[in-house]
Amino acid sequence: MTILVIAEHNHSAVKPVTLNVVAAARKIDSDVHLLVVGTDCGGAADAAAKIHGVTKVLKCDSPEYQKRLAENMAPLIESLAGEYSHILAPATTFGKNVMPRVAAKLDTQQISDITAIHDADTFERPVYAGNAIATVKSSDDKKIITVRGTAFDPVAAEGGSASVEDVAAAGDSGLSSFVKQELSESDRPELTAAEIVVSGGRGVGSGENFDLIEKLADKLGAAVGASRAAVDAGYVPNDYQVGQTGKVVAPQLYIAVGISGAIQHLAGMKDSKIIVAINKDEEAPIFGVADYGLVGDLFDIVPELTEKL
Amino acid sequence: MKVLVPVKRAVDYNVKIRVKSDESGIELNNVKMSMNPFDEIAIEEATKLKEAGTVTEIVAVTIGPAKAQETLRTAMAIGADRGIIVETDTPTDIGGVEPLAVAKTLKAIVEKESPDFVIMGKQSIDDDSNQTGQMLSALLGWSQGTFASEVQIAEGKATVTREIDGGLETIEIKLPAVITTDLRLNEPRYVKLPDIMKAKKKQLDVMTPDELGIDFTPRLSVVKVVEPPARQGGGKVADVDELIDKLKNEAKVI
């Protein structure tokens, strides 16, 4: 068996989640190829070749892949699918957007967001917002899979020496075009890859008050997250959202500030190693999952914590 | 323009679900069911577009048991002009009608109805697959605008702002297209009693998977469904000093 992993990258470098997906692939078979699709993506392909456990890098470098629109990505992956038993991508908005198109064209039932691998056909995946874990066995010849990165420890980014092979582009579909992007700019670590995450909820009260959360995060070298309530209230942008429909994180330390702990938020963070909850309502459900709960006013506690750390 | 809005009957989002003791699935007997919240956002968006004059007809479609007709009536109370149910007793949450089969069914409906676009939820809150819209778009050879937080429809094209991991992305897609909705696209309206009464009189067509030539045999068999490992929480600290001490010396995470 040979596994194809679709790399997530920014053309010049590979994104960390790719290392988690390669780790998942290696649990199925040690022959893992990595596909890097982009525009002027030589940097990412070279980085991909160094990843531990990657046996070959396929590079498709062509102008139509600048923004990796699903309508252009899917036919390319489909054209390369032939020799592979499994095709894996991260369960990020990129993977979620592209892979079902590939699966449908190959008449395959995709397995989304896997968190464990039993054997080449059998996988675990969370359902019902993570309130149940289903073990499913696929009868399809080819498996199309998206992988929850936080469920697999990453392979090393260095140490490999795979060959890089160019593959032919599949052309522009002409169906869609890129208009613009508004990305949050931050020097902080990426939310899904951070060792420490500090998140704020509705209790923080306003976008200005989120400064408190950010100062604590910066003291700890942490990423900043938020509950859906804080995002819906407009305190922070949507990409901060941790939860069932936002990002799923599993850092070493998760600090929840002014977050009550709705089911949909817990679904996104309950696999963190250590959870700290700071909330004035001692009945808040977040304390039920917290290792260290501190009941009190976040506007007193957070500045004190930031100062004393 | 004509729009098709697929909707799904799923467990209500406020329900605390329970795993069946034989580990075969989720207990759905005597559990409150509602329209999947993302689909409610889709039908709301279609209704707004109709109120704005962009859309002239909204057709809601569902796949599920006879009781899912209630979900279609809800869609019609919000704004759908008529409804189609593809009736089946095969479960629609896990281990039954899978996204690929749903996409094939919807493709058959699209071929009968010829809508200008399809708008639907990005995922259902039971199996959380997030596949059907993308699969439908691929099977039809259409464009897609997934995880939409803003949609503008013009002649022959749609401009869709998408919620992506790093922030927001705006794309322009050719119609016909499939658009899938994210949470912040709109806030669905409360349905008023007169609208519920009116919805009861709207046209509702019943179809079968056989009529459409669709096979619902699942490709994934469910080996088991279990509860996630319980987390031992509930620990408390008295103050910031104790918290820092515990994080440094007990948990060793800072």
Side-chain angles (χ1 to χ4, degrees):
Chain A
M1 284 188 294
T2 307
I3 320 293
L4 181 66
V5 170
I6 315 301
E8 183 149 350
H9 62 88
N10 65 1
H11 306 283
S12 58
V14 171
K15 292 206 175 166
V17 70
T18 302
L19 304 175
N20 304 80
V21 183
V22 170
R26 283 174 55 80
K27 287 182 185 287
I28 304 168
D29 196 280
S30 59
D31 197 10
V32 177
H33 294 181
L34 197 55
L35 174 65
V36 176
V37 184
T39 307
D40 298 326
C41 59
D46 290 343
K50 294 196 184 86
I51 294 172
H52 171 78
V54 172
T55 52
K56 193 203 278 187
V57 172
L58 304 180
K59 181 176 78 164
C60 187
D61 196 332
S62 193
E64 67 265 35
Y65 302 120
Q66 174 71 33
K67 297 300 174 189
R68 278 154 294 181
L69 295 160
E71 297 86 342
N72 291 346
M73 287 291 296
L76 173 67
I77 298 170
E78 198 191 324
S79 73
L80 297 169
E83 64 170 300
Y84 296 102
S85 60
H86 298 68
I87 305 178
L88 275 59
T92 54
T93 50
F94 160 73
K96 289 172 180 173
N97 189 42
V98 172
M99 296 308 277
R101 278 191 91 91
V102 177
K105 294 298 276 186
L106 295 172
D107 195 33
T108 297
Q109 177 51 54
Q110 175 179 314
I111 309 150
S112 288
D113 215 13
I114 64 162
T115 51
I117 295 166
H118 290 215
D119 59 39
D121 305 317
T122 315
F123 310 91
E124 285 182 24
R125 56 178 304 266
V127 292
Y128 285 90
N131 289 303
I133 308 293
T135 302
V136 295
K137 186 176 164 73
S138 167
S139 61
D140 283 315
D141 294 338
K142 209 178 275 299
K143 322 296 181 202
I144 307 293
I145 292 169
T146 61
V147 176
R148 179 174 290 192
T150 55
F152 298 89
D153 289 332
V155 296
E158 302 281 338
S161 56
S163 59
V164 179
E165 186 180 299
D166 283 300
V167 295
D172 189 341
S173 71
L175 290 172
S176 59
S177 57
F178 173 83
V179 178
K180 64 174 178 179
Q181 257 177 4
E182 297 156 61
L183 300 184
S184 303
E185 290 190 16
S186 165
D187 296 329
R188 297 189 188 98
E190 211 178 313
L191 196 47
T192 53
E195 292 279 306
I196 303 178
V197 174
V198 183
S199 285
R202 194 190 290 280
V204 176
S206 71
E208 292 79 60
N209 292 349
F210 242 81
D211 276 356
L212 288 175
I213 305 294
E214 289 169 354
K215 280 186 184 135
L216 175 57
D218 290 341
K219 193 76 179 268
L220 289 163
V224 175
S227 68
R228 180 183 164 191
V231 176
D232 283 354
Y235 303 168
V236 287
N238 64 283
D239 53 297
Y240 281 45
Q241 185 180 325
V242 172
Q244 176 192 9
T245 56
K247 293 197 176 81
V248 177
V249 302
Q252 293 291 305
L253 173 60
Y254 187 89
I255 304 180
V257 181
I259 291 177
S260 64
I263 290 176
Q264 88 91 28
H265 185 74
L266 299 182
M269 47 64 82
K270 66 183 166 51
D271 293 326
S272 304
K273 182 165 176 259
I274 297 290
I275 296 174
V276 169
I278 298 167
N279 202 303
K280 66 179 178 200
D281 173 14
E282 63 179 310
E283 301 296 318
I286 190 78
F287 288 118
V289 300
D291 299 279
Y292 305 118
L294 182 47
V295 179
D297 188 340
L298 70 92
F299 296 102
D300 297 329
I301 293 170
V302 174
E304 187 188 344
L305 182 58
T306 308
E307 195 197 308
K308 286 182 172 171
L309 276 166
Chain B
M1 273 192 252
K2 179 171 173 180
V3 54
L4 185 74
V5 187
V7 295
K8 182 174 179 181
R9 178 178 183 264
V11 71
D12 186 84
Y13 75 103
N14 279 316
V15 167
K16 175 98 179 74
I17 58 108
R18 279 187 307 116
V19 169
K20 283 185 186 169
S21 54
D22 66 358
E23 300 187 340
S24 65
I26 303 301
E27 188 55 69
L28 293 176
N29 278 333
N30 302 316
V31 168
K32 187 182 178 198
M33 306 292 279
S34 299
M35 190 191 296
N36 177 43
F38 291 100
D39 302 346
E40 218 178 326
I41 293 171
I43 193 82
E44 173 68 30
E45 193 66 16
T47 304
K48 279 185 164 169
L49 286 165
K50 191 177 173 195
E51 287 163 351
T54 313
V55 161
T56 48
E57 188 184 18
I58 303 170
V59 181
V61 56
T62 196
I63 302 170
K67 278 192 168 174
Q69 290 192 15
E70 293 164 16
T71 311
L72 281 180
R73 294 291 174 200
T74 306
M76 290 191 265
I78 296 170
D81 295 292
R82 57 190 175 87
I84 301 167
I85 182 169
V86 180
E87 266 187 23
T88 177
D89 288 324
T90 310
T92 54
D93 65 337
I94 41 179
V97 190
E98 294 169 337
L100 182 62
V102 174
K104 287 177 181 177
T105 309
L106 294 176
K107 177 173 182 266
I109 302 284
V110 164
E111 283 161 357
K112 282 181 189 292
E113 294 285 339
S114 306
D116 293 280
F117 66 100
V118 175
I119 186 165
M120 59 197 287
K122 73 167 182 177
Q123 73 190 64
S124 63
I125 61 165
D126 42 18
D127 92 325
D128 285 333
S129 278
N130 193 333
Q131 298 174 5
T132 306
Q134 296 88 312
M135 285 183 157
L136 174 62
S137 172
L139 293 177
L140 290 163
W142 288 7
S143 61
Q144 69 183 42
T146 54
F147 327 144
S149 64
E150 199 184 333
V151 174
Q152 285 168 330
I153 305 282
E155 204 49 55
K157 66 176 189 186
T159 306
V160 178
T161 301
R162 308 178 52 235
E163 297 206 359
I164 60 168
D165 287 334
L168 296 172
E169 176 187 82
T170 305
I171 57 172
E172 200 173 275
I173 55 178
K174 279 192 180 160
L175 297 185
V178 177
I179 295 165
T180 75
T181 61
D182 217 318
L183 290 170
R184 279 165 282 273
L185 181 59
N186 60 49
E187 270 190 48
R189 66 195 64 188
Y190 286 101
V191 181
K192 294 191 207 85
L193 187 62
D195 293 325
I196 295 172
M197 301 312 288
K198 264 188 254 167
K200 286 182 180 163
K201 297 198 186 83
K202 290 183 180 176
Q203 182 186 338
L204 192 160
D205 296 316
V206 180
M207 303 182 93
T208 65
D210 286 348
E211 256 176 272
L212 297 166
I214 308 290
D215 179 6
F216 282 164
T217 309
R219 309 283 188 87
L220 305 179
S221 58
V222 175
V223 179
K224 64 173 179 176
V225 179
V226 297
E227 282 182 12
R231 199 184 165 94
Q232 280 296 64
K236 290 269 167 65
V237 290
D239 54 30
V240 168
D241 293 328
E242 190 189 348
L243 176 62
I244 293 174
D245 176 61
K246 295 271 193 192
L247 290 176
K248 279 190 173 149
N249 300 314
E250 191 176 82
K252 297 186 169 60
V253 287
I254 57 170

